[in-house]
Amino acid sequence: KEPSGSLSADSIKIKKEVANAFVKRKKRSSPYEWYFEYYKSPMEQMHERCENYPPCDYLSDQVGFALAYNRFFG
């Protein structure tokens, strides 16, 4: 808590993995939506791989995703 007694924004943040555990997603209705729910594009898979590796995620904020991904996984 901050000296004034209020919560700061940093104290209420949670990790992505924890948030995904209790946030319920809307049910998909069409087969097209189901397909994209289960089969991610290669680019999206690459983004998730980089986001889940902290050095890559940090570097992607500095120099861009493509350079950061190639640096660690390229």
Side-chain angles (χ1 to χ4, degrees):
K1 290 186 176 182
E2 293 181 3
S4 63
S6 64
L7 294 174
S8 67
D10 293 332
S11 66
I12 58 172
K13 289 184 180 178
I14 59 175
K15 293 182 179 182
K16 295 174 194 174
E17 294 82 13
V18 175
N20 289 334
F22 65 87
V23 174
K24 301 296 180 196
R25 299 178 76 177
K26 188 177 108 177
K27 298 284 183 185
R28 306 290 183 216
S29 57
S30 74
Y32 182 78
E33 290 174 337
W34 277 106
Y35 177 82
F36 285 104
E37 176 78 20
Y38 290 107
Y39 301 102
K40 296 178 182 173
S41 71
M43 184 59 77
E44 186 175 356
Q45 291 173 358
M46 291 167 57
H47 273 279
E48 288 181 354
R49 186 175 182 194
C50 188
E51 286 175 354
N52 289 333
Y53 186 59
C56 183
D57 190 32
Y58 176 77
L59 187 61
S60 70
D61 291 338
Q62 307 301 315
V63 298
F65 167 74
L67 292 173
Y69 187 87
N70 286 336
R71 165 76 168 83
F72 292 102
F73 305 109

